[in-house]
Amino acid sequence: MSDITPGTWQLDPTHTEIGFTVRHIMSKVRGKFEKFEGTIVTAEDVTASSATATIDLSSINTGTADRDNHLRSGDFFNVESTPTMTFVSTGVVRKSDTDFVVTGDLTIKDVTKPIELDVEFLGEGKDPWGGTRVGVEAKGQLSRKEFGIDFNIPLEGDKVMIGDKITLLITAEAVLQA
């Protein structure tokens, strides 16, 4: 990543996916957010770089309309009063030429908590339209209960229907702004 062009990059929504997994009974449910915007600002010293993102929580898609509507409700995101989730980076630590840890503040339902994302730099190059693109993958975990999202249904024994741990999975492509 030391060869990345310094500048401001905008996420390309058609080539970016902000997804997640969560435990459900004995399996995992996967989903993604379909509306978001984000900016990456790269510096000569990559550890001085930053990133921000705003995700439209009403755009959640798990492939099941009833579940998505429930996730939009007051039991989970309460999108009528808190329609977005935001991320603002607070630091970048280099682990290798392609691997980084990006720390930041994640805000959901007016609750802000720190989060760490393991980020892999996938490369930089020209696209067929004359632009310059960069690719990254990021993974992190959070506790949904820490953000006030604690709806659940008890199951037999000490089990519950929905796990607390959410794994975020982000694959992003961003375009250098002129």
Side-chain angles (χ1 to χ4, degrees):
M1 193 153 161
S2 57
D3 296 334
I4 191 169
T5 302
T8 300
W9 307 76
Q10 294 295 318
L11 290 183
D12 175 355
T14 60
H15 296 100
T16 297
E17 182 172 289
I18 299 175
F20 63 89
T21 61
V22 62
R23 180 100 179 186
H24 181 267
I25 306 176
M26 298 298 162
S27 181
K28 289 189 178 180
V29 168
R30 288 168 171 64
K32 63 182 177 177
F33 297 95
E34 296 183 336
K35 294 180 184 174
F36 52 83
E37 56 186 38
T39 303
I40 302 168
V41 178
T42 51
E44 289 286 341
D45 173 3
V46 73
T47 62
S49 299
S50 63
T52 60
T54 301
I55 295 96
D56 178 348
L57 294 172
S58 70
S59 72
I60 195 165
N61 182 349
T62 64
T64 303
D66 287 344
R67 177 174 44 224
D68 296 344
N69 288 332
H70 191 201
L71 291 169
R72 293 179 189 107
S73 78
D75 285 342
F76 291 93
F77 290 127
N78 196 16
V79 298
E80 286 190 26
S81 65
T82 55
T84 60
M85 166 173 52
T86 61
F87 173 81
V88 177
S89 67
T90 56
V92 178
V93 175
R94 177 191 297 271
K95 297 188 82 165
S96 73
D97 282 346
T98 59
D99 295 313
F100 299 83
V101 174
V102 176
T103 56
D105 291 328
L106 183 66
T107 302
I108 306 172
K109 291 180 71 171
D110 296 327
V111 175
T112 302
K113 297 284 183 183
I115 187 171
E116 281 190 359
L117 299 173
D118 292 318
V119 177
E120 179 185 3
F121 174 65
L122 300 176
E124 177 186 328
K126 296 290 183 188
D127 65 27
W129 308 279
T132 302
R133 291 176 180 259
V134 66
V136 296
E137 283 189 342
K139 184 176 182 177
Q141 292 186 343
L142 62 98
S143 161
R144 66 187 183 91
K145 291 178 185 176
E146 289 183 359
F147 292 92
I149 303 171
D150 56 5
F151 174 86
N152 225 323
I153 297 173
L155 300 175
E156 186 177 309
D158 292 339
K159 296 180 180 175
V160 291
M161 187 169 75
I162 306 164
D164 177 47
K165 182 176 72 173
I166 307 294
T167 301
L168 298 174
L169 305 163
I170 302 162
T171 302
E173 200 169 279
V175 180
L176 183 63
Q177 303 303 290

